[in-house]
Each structure stands twice: as structure tokens, then as C-alpha cells.
Amino acid sequence: MDFPTCIHTSPDCKYIVAGLGQQHILRVFKHGKKDHTVLTDVPEKARSTADLVAAGFAATEKYKYLMTCYADTSLHLWSVKGELLQTLDTQKISNSHAAVSPSGQFVAVCGFSPDVKIYEVQAENGVVSAVKPAMVLGGHTAAMLHFAFSSDSSRVVSISKDGTWRLFNIDVRYKDREDPRLIGWAKFALLGATAKCAVSPDLRTVVVASGTMLQVFSAEGELLGEIEEAHTAPITALDVDAESLYIASASADKSVHIYYNKYGIEGKISFLGKELVKCDKASQKERIQSQIDEAKQMLLKM
């Protein structure tokens, strides 16, 4: 019986890609109404000899490709049929994480150097034609641990061994050399050698996990709250649901926990309260007050 070293579901939920530890292959499954079928195996001879550290999938009308990243400096893009499309040398001494943006437009990678490199994927009729450097997210002073795109692909949060996270707005005119804009940053509790991060889809909160602790921050860097013993072993995966109401975490303790995003909702109420004071139009005040009331009702339910 083989086991997965990583697993990823495509944004349209039609495909699952898994790295298989014993066979040392990358297998793509296609969802069916009754079962799953194997679509392709990425051939062993075409893969890097280093360990697989991340895989991702783009499945939109414009972009459709598979991304694999390895512990050396190699990153590959494949067709869903297992054809090698592009090979990149990240020039990072070693890679630690990579991801495909939900839009499919970007592929990003981090590693030994204190930054995140973002590449633009160019495609025609769903076929990848080129991959070009787009942006670099800097400001850290030590090697990177992890990063994550927001669900709308407009934000990236990064965390580093320097014990800080940084949130960037990447919705910029990068082709005109406009730099990504730093929204906020803060120190977090770095417990051990690994950490994970996520941005809520409403773009208002950043969630960081290190060791067994979960911390929730505002996008600007204020610590909103923390759960010291969220698990009994180090947290290995982290995400926030589409409505920013729940935080999901997985751990080496072989469990998945779902937490109410209480701190994030309290932060949202605080932010909207400040916006309400600044607002001078009746229609906007009514809309903001409605959002505050809705968030307060959600807290009562929790």
C-alpha cells in the first residue's frame, strides 16, 4: 500500500494530484460521479531526483496545468496528461514551498533566501506558452518557511525564520515595474522549525500556526487572539473557509480541527466600527451597520 507525501485538489474540484512515497511518482486523479480514475502519472525520468516539497493545480478557462516543486532548485509545469511544459531554476539554493495562485496566473516559490519569487504564467487557449519573473516579495531577514495566496489572488502572506510575517498586495502594475505594496507585518511565536500561514478570503485577517499554537492577526499586524494548544503535535496544514468564519488546521497528531474564527470576526467588527465613524453618507452608514450587526449575530451563534 503506497502513501501520499503531498496532496492537492484543483480549484474546480475536478482533479486530485498526489505524490506517492513508495513509487516516487506524481499521480493525477480525475473525479467521477461514482469513483476516481487515474488520469496520468508524471514519469519518473522527467522528475527531479530531489524530494517533492509542493504540488499545485491550475484549472481555469485560461490556465490548465500542474506544478511540482522539489527540494533542490527545480520547479516544473506539466499538462494534465503528464507532458512537461516548462522547467524553472529558482536559484534559491533549496526550495521549501511553492504554490499556484487560485487564478492560475501566478506560480510562486520560496526557500533558503529571504524572499518569495512570483512568476507570471502566460497561456493561450489554456496551453502554457511561457513563464516569466513578475515580482519579488522581500523584507525578511532569514530563510522563508511558508507563504500563501488569498482566494482572489490579490494578496500573499509570507512567514520567515526571522519570526515575522508580512502581508503584500500584489494587485499592482508589475509589468510597469510597480512593486507589491506591504499592507502589514508582525512578529509571531516561532515554535520549532516549521510554520504555516493563511489569509482569510475577506482579506481582513492573517492566521499563523507554529508548533501547536494558532495566532490570528489583523491584516495590519495587530494580534487579535491565539490558541496555545490547538493540537497536541505540530500543525502541518492551515486554511480559512470561503466566508472567513472557520479556521481549519491539520497536525502530526493525526487530527483535523475546525475552529470558529472568533478573533477574526471581532477584528472585523472593530474595523467596521472605525469605518462607520469616518463615513458621512447615510447609505454607506446603513450598509456598514448592517455588516456589523450580521457579524455580531454570528458571534452570538458561536
Side-chain angles (χ1 to χ4, degrees):
M1 181 69 70
D2 212 330
F3 61 93
T5 56
C6 72
I7 189 167
H8 187 82
T9 303
S10 65
D12 62 1
C13 297
K14 292 183 178 180
Y15 304 96
I16 296 175
V17 56
L20 302 185
Q22 290 185 351
Q23 298 181 60
H24 299 289
I25 62 174
L26 198 71
R27 179 162 291 173
V28 181
F29 300 87
K30 186 173 182 180
H31 281 292
K33 291 183 178 180
K34 296 183 178 180
D35 53 15
H36 305 310
T37 57
V38 176
L39 187 63
T40 188
D41 287 337
V42 174
E44 175 72 24
K45 63 181 181 181
R47 297 174 63 252
S48 168
T49 56
D51 291 337
L52 180 70
V53 297
F57 218 118
T60 66
E61 185 175 342
K62 185 175 181 180
Y63 303 97
K64 187 164 289 187
Y65 60 86
L66 170 68
M67 178 276 296
T68 57
C69 180
Y70 303 91
D72 50 16
T73 62
S74 60
L75 186 149
H76 301 322
L77 298 188
W78 312 81
S79 73
V80 294
K81 295 181 179 180
E83 302 164 329
L84 183 61
L85 302 175
Q86 296 283 332
T87 297
L88 297 177
D89 181 355
T90 64
Q91 299 179 347
K92 284 189 168 293
I93 301 179
S94 62
N95 300 327
S96 59
H97 181 62
V100 177
S101 66
S103 66
Q105 182 180 1
F106 301 114
V107 169
V109 61
C110 70
F112 185 79
S113 61
D115 54 33
V116 178
K117 287 185 177 180
I118 301 179
Y119 299 87
E120 179 190 18
V121 179
Q122 299 178 350
E124 297 180 4
N125 300 320
V127 179
V128 175
S129 57
V131 181
K132 296 185 177 181
M135 293 169 273
V136 176
L137 308 181
H140 291 288
T141 58
M144 305 302 298
L145 294 170
H146 192 245
F147 69 88
F149 285 97
S150 62
S151 60
D152 67 352
S153 303
S154 70
R155 304 285 193 272
V156 172
V157 60
S158 59
I159 52 177
S160 164
K161 289 183 178 180
D162 64 13
T164 67
W165 62 262
R166 299 172 73 85
L167 179 63
F168 296 88
N169 181 354
I170 63 168
D171 187 17
V172 297
R173 297 186 298 273
Y174 59 89
K175 292 182 179 179
D176 295 329
R177 297 186 178 181
E178 181 180 358
D179 292 329
R181 296 191 291 273
L182 180 66
I183 296 172
W185 73 277
K187 293 183 178 180
F188 69 95
L190 180 57
L191 307 173
T194 62
K196 302 294 181 183
C197 58
V199 190
S200 62
D202 64 8
L203 309 180
R204 298 189 189 280
T205 54
V206 169
V207 184
V208 177
S210 184
T212 61
M213 178 181 284
L214 279 175
Q215 293 182 296
V216 182
F217 298 84
S218 71
E220 293 73 30
E222 178 187 359
L223 177 61
L224 302 176
E226 59 189 23
I227 305 172
E228 292 188 4
E229 297 294 336
H231 285 269
T232 58
I235 295 169
T236 56
L238 185 67
D239 207 353
V240 183
D241 82 300
E243 296 184 357
S244 304
L245 299 178
Y246 306 98
I247 298 170
S249 59
S251 165
D253 63 13
K254 300 180 181 180
S255 69
V256 174
H257 291 179
I258 307 295
Y259 290 96
Y260 285 115
N261 188 15
K262 172 179 179 289
Y263 300 123
I265 295 173
E266 290 175 342
K268 178 180 180 180
I269 292 172
S270 175
F271 173 82
L272 290 174
K274 295 175 184 177
E275 292 296 303
L276 186 62
V277 172
K278 294 187 292 184
C279 184
D280 56 3
K281 293 183 179 180
S283 59
Q284 290 181 342
K285 281 190 173 184
E286 183 179 351
R287 177 176 56 82
I288 293 174
Q289 186 61 56
S290 176
Q291 291 177 327
I292 292 174
D293 293 341
E294 182 180 343
K296 287 182 176 179
Q297 285 297 318
M298 182 55 64
L299 279 180
L300 289 175
K301 291 180 181 179
M302 291 179 181

